[in-house]
Amino acid sequence: YLESIYKTKFFSTKYGQKRTKEEITDQIAELMNQKHPSYIDPMIIQLPWSPADTPSESELKKKAEMRKEQGQRLKEFMAKKKEEKKKKNESDLADLQNVEALADEDYEMFESECQTRGFNSKEEIAAAMTNLKIRLG
């Protein structure tokens, strides 16, 4: 700590004359004895501390049960979401099968349906149907 003080404000006088380490040390000792405002004692303040209360057995059981219930709700939510996705894929597959069937019956209607769905050919529809069948398992 004293080395940093030597290098800062106490190292030279206001006229630029260099001081010796002894002079600086004497001045610091004098400031410490006088409690001069330019010297501040490092103060350590310890606030009162107590360890956190350990939860009781009933609180631990309650938290464990809540966690179990949340896990169950999450499982139910994910199962519902999976079922909805499966139904959507099934309806998309049925829709594409209907569009594919139009190719043999009414080709103009087939082309307009392909354009509205973003397909350019019967092969693209077949590829999309294959992907849906793979997703459905």
Side-chain angles (χ1 to χ4, degrees):
Y1 176 72
L2 291 178
E3 286 297 321
S4 65
I5 293 175
Y6 293 145
K7 293 177 184 175
T8 59
K9 65 180 181 178
F10 294 112
F11 193 69
S12 62
T13 64
K14 71 178 180 178
Y15 298 110
Q17 297 171 342
K18 302 289 182 188
R19 293 183 179 174
T20 63
K21 281 190 176 183
E22 292 79 26
E23 291 174 335
I24 295 170
T25 308
D26 291 342
Q27 186 178 2
I28 291 173
E30 184 180 320
L31 290 173
M32 287 173 58
N33 289 338
Q34 295 176 0
K35 299 292 183 193
H36 194 272
S38 64
Y39 177 81
I40 299 172
D41 281 329
M43 295 179 66
I44 298 174
I45 300 173
Q46 181 160 354
L47 300 174
W49 179 82
S50 63
D53 295 333
T54 55
S56 66
E57 191 71 30
S58 62
E59 290 174 341
L60 290 174
K61 285 181 182 179
K62 186 187 258 186
K63 284 184 181 181
E65 191 162 323
M66 284 177 61
R67 217 174 287 122
K68 191 183 277 188
E69 288 174 6
Q70 287 175 339
Q72 186 64 34
R73 277 186 267 156
L74 181 62
K75 283 180 186 177
E76 291 170 0
F77 175 76
M78 294 305 288
K80 183 179 176 184
K81 196 171 188 176
K82 186 177 180 181
E83 186 64 31
E84 289 173 358
K85 193 172 187 178
K86 183 179 177 184
K87 285 181 183 179
K88 183 185 181 308
N89 286 339
E90 287 173 346
S91 70
D92 289 347
L93 180 62
D95 190 39
L96 288 178
Q97 288 172 340
N98 291 337
V99 170
E100 188 180 42
L102 280 176
D104 299 330
E105 298 170 9
D106 187 5
Y107 196 75
E108 288 180 13
M109 182 75 137
F110 169 74
E111 285 182 336
S112 68
E113 289 293 321
C114 283
Q115 287 178 351
T116 58
R117 287 175 172 74
F119 295 109
N120 294 325
S121 66
K122 191 173 183 178
E123 290 79 24
E124 287 182 11
I125 290 178
M129 287 173 53
T130 305
N131 286 338
L132 285 171
K133 287 177 183 176
I134 290 170
R135 285 187 202 156
L136 289 171

